[in-house]
Amino acid sequence: MIPTIGMVADVTMRKNSFADYITDDVSEAIKKAGGLPIIFPTSDSKYAEDFLSKCDGMAFLGGPDVDPTLYDEEPIPELGYTYRQKDELELELVRQAYAAGKAIFGICRGIQVINVGLGGTVYQDFPSQSDRKVLKHFQAAPLSVTSHHVNVMAGSHLEKIMGDYPMVNSHHHEAVKDLGNDLKVTARAADDCVEAIESMNSDQLLAVQWHPECLYTKYPEHDALFTDFVNRVKKRMQDVDAV
Ligand code: MN
């Protein structure tokens, strides 16, 4: 059976409301890697369990900032727009998917949602809140090209996929701050900004701060993130079948 990959749609703002949408890049990257995407609309978090029952793995995508009151902070002026209902659904999906042993992949906002879902915090605005001189993490060039390096931790799962010093694109002002439970940092930029996290003792979870879906057609090492994800989903499906 083709593995099914659940993901909550991204959201855009209309004049008086939000609207779910999905660009084709992540879906196409997952299909190329051998998975079948299933898009969930933003919904009350009570639907998380039913949504999860429809998919073998979960991807958490780019999108708006995470509502800081969900990790016990009040919003600072530099915070972008937030959408609490989407946050609550995705935080619940993170917790349930992780507890259920499903393979998880995070992209950009996804790394933040995963970290907060597992008890961590994020910088609402890394450039103004970091006590270091920061890199340009909001590149002016299109996301189809790379702009800064990341240092990947030796022995990490990410190192097996991308090597120890890949270039990535960058389109974020939030960043992971305090780590959630059972997570480890496996890549940082030169300014110490967290660029990738993984589950502590398994390959169940990998999340990156950049946008590989904008790079996978031209850069094999970014395409490899999607292949790895679908393979992690398949491996866990076999493990479940074997029980
Ligand atoms: Mn970056």
Side-chain angles (χ1 to χ4, degrees), residues 4 23 41 45 54 60 109 130 185 208 243:
T4 50
T23 53
S45 61
K54 307 294 180 199
F60 295 90
R109 164 188 161 87
S130 171
V185 174
V208 299
V243 170

Side-chain angles (χ1 to χ4, degrees), residues 178-229:
D178 303 308
L179 265 185
N181 297 318
D182 204 33
L183 296 173
K184 61 184 178 185
V185 174
T186 58
R188 288 183 189 270
D191 57 6
D192 254 5
C193 181
V194 172
E195 293 276 346
I197 58 174
E198 296 178 23
S199 37
M200 188 70 83
N201 296 312
S202 75
D203 61 4
Q204 184 186 354
L205 186 154
L206 170 64
V208 299
Q209 182 59 75
W210 62 90
H211 284 276
E213 78 279 16
C214 302
L215 300 168
Y216 79 99
T217 57
K218 279 197 296 185
Y219 299 84
E221 67 274 31
H222 292 279
D223 189 39
L225 285 167
F226 293 98
T227 312
D228 168 76
F229 173 42

Side-chain angles (χ1 to χ4, degrees), residues 28-218:
E28 291 303 317
I30 284 175
K31 283 187 270 182
K32 179 172 180 285
L36 182 69
I38 300 180
I39 314 300
F40 303 139
T42 296
S43 309
D44 190 283
S45 61
K46 72 182 180 187
Y47 294 106
E49 189 177 352
D50 293 307
F51 280 150
L52 262 190
S53 72
K54 307 294 180 199
C55 61
D56 302 307
M58 271 301 301
F60 295 90
L61 312 183
D65 288 357
V66 179
D67 184 330
T69 62
L70 293 166
Y71 52 91
D72 295 330
E73 286 186 17
E74 292 299 310
I76 64 170
E78 292 80 4
L79 183 72
Y81 81 88
T82 58
Y83 185 16
R84 192 179 180 91
Q85 190 180 38
K86 177 175 166 63
D87 291 342
E88 288 175 341
L89 172 63
E90 290 194 295
L91 295 179
E92 193 55 34
L93 285 167
V94 166
R95 292 182 198 113
Q96 292 192 21
Y98 202 52
K102 295 193 190 225
I104 295 172
F105 185 40
I107 291 173
C108 199
R109 164 188 161 87
I111 193 173
Q112 266 106 46
V113 164
I114 288 166
N115 190 50
V116 173
L118 297 178
T121 66
V122 301
Y123 291 102
Q124 295 182 42
D125 181 60
F126 183 68
S128 64
Q129 293 185 303
S130 171
D131 49 15
R132 302 186 52 156
K133 198 168 178 198
V134 299
L135 303 187
K136 187 173 182 69
H137 287 286
F138 213 93
Q139 73 185 48
L143 291 178
S144 56
V145 297
T146 56
S147 68
H148 72 68
H149 288 92
V150 296
N151 291 295
V152 179
M153 307 314 161
S156 63
H157 188 65
L158 184 61
E159 187 194 30
K160 291 190 203 116
I161 304 167
M162 299 190 78
D164 62 357
Y165 197 52
M167 281 198 85
V168 303
N169 56 15
S170 203
H171 188 74
H172 60 103
H173 77 120
E174 290 179 300
V176 167
K177 192 176 170 189
D178 303 308
L179 265 185
N181 297 318
D182 204 33
L183 296 173
K184 61 184 178 185
V185 174
T186 58
R188 288 183 189 270
D191 57 6
D192 254 5
C193 181
V194 172
E195 293 276 346
I197 58 174
E198 296 178 23
S199 37
M200 188 70 83
N201 296 312
S202 75
D203 61 4
Q204 184 186 354
L205 186 154
L206 170 64
V208 299
Q209 182 59 75
W210 62 90
H211 284 276
E213 78 279 16
C214 302
L215 300 168
Y216 79 99
T217 57
K218 279 197 296 185

